[in-house]
Amino acid sequence: MAPTYPLVLMVAFGTIGASLLTPQLSHDLVATRLHRHRTHGQHITWTDLVNVTPGESVRRRRTLRRLRRRGARSQEEIESGDGYVEFTVGEINTFWVAGLSHGNTDTSFGDIDFGFRFNGAALPTCSKTRV
């Protein structure tokens, strides 16, 4: 399924203390006859922050468990064509989802269109068109 542009990086946390480290977003892929290589990605500027602390990483704040909304989206976008997102998992025993999405309805897992789900047991899964 082809994505709807623009795409942004989104993260939604399910565990207190979970973090996404050193995120980058790029659409600068250069195809050659033999292979593709990439240029350096852009560092992320976080926006639409809900109960998270931004910085070089984005980390879920300690909040009441009843408060389900927690996450953020990147200001940077992939406007069209090829691109990639790159990040480091902060803790392997936490539950959260990060990936590319068109639009930003809320900070729920289901709002991420193409994502990686980290289940708290060091086993990521991949999903297209909703996590």
Side-chain angles (χ1 to χ4, degrees):
M1 170 180 247
T4 302
Y5 294 99
L7 293 171
V8 296
L9 171 60
M10 289 186 63
V11 60
F13 293 114
T15 304
I16 291 175
S19 60
L20 177 141
L21 306 173
T22 61
Q24 293 189 27
L25 184 70
S26 180
H27 56 84
D28 299 324
L29 295 179
V30 179
T32 67
R33 190 171 160 175
L34 297 176
H35 67 287
R36 288 180 176 220
H37 65 297
R38 62 185 184 205
T39 60
H40 297 289
Q42 297 175 320
H43 290 283
I44 298 299
T45 302
W46 294 106
T47 186
D48 295 339
L49 301 163
V50 178
N51 299 310
V52 296
T53 303
E56 282 295 309
S57 66
V58 62
R59 178 178 292 271
R60 181 176 170 197
R61 289 186 195 152
R62 291 193 168 277
T63 59
L64 297 173
R65 287 189 179 261
R66 293 186 324 231
L67 191 58
R68 295 183 181 258
R69 292 175 40 96
R70 59 255 172 211
R73 79 167 187 91
S74 67
Q75 182 176 315
E76 294 74 20
E77 301 177 337
I78 297 174
E79 295 178 9
S80 64
D82 293 335
Y84 70 94
V85 62
E86 184 176 312
F87 55 84
T88 302
V89 175
E91 303 81 17
I92 62 171
N93 62 341
T94 56
F95 183 76
W96 54 282
V97 178
L100 295 172
S101 188
H102 174 72
N104 182 29
T105 306
D106 57 33
T107 57
S108 69
F109 297 155
D111 198 33
I112 299 173
D113 298 324
F114 303 92
F116 294 96
R117 178 179 169 262
F118 300 91
N119 67 5
L123 298 171
T125 56
C126 199
S127 180
K128 288 188 211 176
T129 65
R130 302 291 174 203
V131 177

